[in-house]
Amino acid sequence: MLQIITKVCLIMLVLFAFAIPGFALKKTKLVSGESLLSLANILLYVCQPMLSVKAFAIDPIPVTGAVLLNFLWVFLLSFAALFLTLGASYLVFLFMKNPQEKTQRNLLIFAGTFSNCAFVGIPFIDMFTEGNSEAMMYLMIFTVTFNLILWTVGAYLITQDKKQISLKKAFLNPCTIGCAVGILLFCVPQINVFNMEAVSELQQIVVYTGNMTAPLSMMIVGVRLADLSIKELFCNGKIYLASAVRLILSFGLTYLLILPFKLNGLFAETPYVLLAPVIAMSMPPAATIVAFAEKFDGKKNFAAAAYATGTILSLFTLPFALLLITL
């Protein structure tokens, strides 16, 4: 238990360390708030897609029919978990009926629904499996489902523009394209130049660019935090409610979803088919809430506050969630 708590705290400490340069540069006026849109576009259109390619293309597991079938199961379970949580988030915030609260309510629903499954979820999967490639693959299948919903329902929540809900945008957004490229390289290893020993230097393209996701996301958060007061950050009860949905309710709903499979011994030899969605849904709010608020001109400071508060609170909830799933 102590080891789990220590590792969780260290991971969160590293993430918030990345926010310090952004915070300092904004306070010293070396970075302006207007520059964040450019940084958000780099994050959404370059770094996150490369992170997906990296997960599938660098040192992948062998391709088998059983693995592909497991991918399908993870996709379906992830889809169900995300929509269960989305529905729960809507119900929790039904009390915010005032039209003036609509934008804030939608941000809270977004924060409650979408988890930081990529650059927080990946280190946790890596930590608990000691670098198990198969477990990492299952988590990335979760992110495929995640991105399909994020770039449709998620974008609509931020923009309130129904044009955002389209199959075209679901499949042709940069993160989904990145996952598709990664899966193609995984399924056809003969064309996976990123895993060929003769040209191993090419790995640096996806490794370095993908690894920029965490630092860049947190630097954007740091810049936004520099504009927040203590009251905005820690004194909004609605943000705490969204954090409870994200960190407790979503984890509980997903765990109940996979529990019948677990009790019946299904996927006993490949447990991360069930556990990858649970771990992903136990993560703090998605950093994408900050990038989307920047890109689509949402309530930027409120989005940063919801993200930062939820991430801080996850220090207390993640150890217990991760301990439960290992029982």
Side-chain angles (χ1 to χ4, degrees):
M1 178 65 176
L2 181 60
Q3 183 182 14
I4 292 175
I5 294 174
T6 301
K7 288 189 175 182
V8 169
C9 292
L10 286 173
I11 289 173
M12 294 303 171
L13 179 63
V14 169
L15 288 175
F16 272 94
F18 288 137
I20 293 174
F23 184 91
L25 289 171
K26 183 65 169 68
K27 283 295 187 183
T28 55
K29 299 183 179 180
L30 293 175
V31 169
S32 66
E34 290 73 21
S35 64
L36 291 189
L37 177 59
S38 298
L39 293 177
N41 283 332
I42 293 172
L43 174 66
L44 290 172
Y45 290 93
V46 181
C47 300
Q48 288 188 347
M50 282 296 188
L51 185 65
S52 300
V53 174
K54 173 193 169 187
F56 285 101
I58 306 298
D59 297 325
I61 61 175
V63 185
T64 66
V67 169
L68 295 178
L69 183 59
N70 287 341
F71 282 0
L72 177 60
W73 272 109
V74 174
F75 180 86
L76 295 174
L77 289 169
S78 303
F79 197 91
L82 283 161
F83 270 97
L84 274 173
T85 304
L86 177 64
S89 296
Y90 266 106
L91 291 174
V92 168
F93 292 103
L94 275 178
F95 69 93
M96 297 178 67
K97 298 179 180 179
N98 193 319
Q100 284 76 26
E101 296 179 307
K102 188 174 183 179
T103 300
Q104 189 180 88
R105 181 195 66 194
N106 289 338
L107 277 170
L108 292 167
I109 293 170
F110 188 106
T113 301
F114 296 102
S115 70
N116 209 334
C117 58
F119 73 80
V120 177
I122 287 173
F124 274 99
I125 285 281
D126 188 58
M127 176 182 70
F128 279 95
T129 65
E130 298 182 353
N132 185 304
S133 297
E134 192 170 4
M136 192 76 72
M137 295 279 190
Y138 295 145
L139 180 64
M140 294 313 299
I141 293 298
F142 177 93
T143 68
V144 172
T145 319
F146 175 88
N147 285 321
L148 290 175
I149 300 173
L150 177 74
W151 282 84
T152 52
V153 178
Y156 172 73
L157 283 171
I158 302 297
T159 64
Q160 287 301 289
D161 183 0
K162 291 183 179 180
K163 293 180 181 179
Q164 297 294 335
I165 302 179
S166 71
L167 287 176
K168 180 180 178 181
K169 291 188 177 181
F171 287 99
L172 296 182
N173 69 76
C175 294
T176 304
I177 291 172
C179 286
V181 170
I183 292 172
L184 176 63
L185 295 176
F186 169 73
C187 292
V188 190
Q190 295 84 356
I191 64 172
N192 184 4
V193 296
F194 300 117
N195 205 45
M196 294 178 181
E197 188 174 347
V199 288
S200 58
E201 292 80 6
L202 294 179
Q203 289 187 2
Q204 297 177 14
I205 298 172
V206 291
V207 171
Y208 289 166
T209 310
N211 287 347
M212 286 170 57
T213 303
L216 187 56
S217 296
M218 292 306 298
M219 285 181 190
I220 292 173
V221 171
V223 174
R224 274 296 158 211
L225 288 177
D227 292 328
L228 298 179
S229 65
I230 296 297
K231 181 179 179 180
E232 287 178 300
L233 191 54
F234 294 115
C235 298
N236 191 316
K238 293 172 184 175
I239 287 179
Y240 283 97
L241 184 57
S243 298
V245 173
R246 166 89 308 278
L247 300 172
I248 300 173
L249 184 58
S250 68
F251 167 79
L253 289 172
T254 309
Y255 190 79
L256 289 175
L257 180 68
I258 64 99
L259 192 58
F261 296 91
K262 187 175 181 181
L263 292 176
N264 284 286
L266 298 175
F267 305 107
E269 295 181 0
T270 53
Y272 283 93
V273 171
L274 302 178
L275 295 183
V278 180
I279 293 174
M281 291 300 284
S282 69
M283 293 297 115
T288 315
I289 190 174
V290 180
F292 269 20
E294 293 292 340
K295 180 175 178 56
F296 297 124
D297 197 26
K299 287 183 174 290
K300 301 168 187 177
N301 287 356
F302 186 80
Y307 172 76
T309 302
T311 302
I312 292 169
L313 291 175
S314 69
L315 287 170
F316 304 98
T317 61
L318 274 174
F320 296 101
L322 297 173
L323 183 65
L324 177 61
I325 65 176
T326 56
L327 294 177

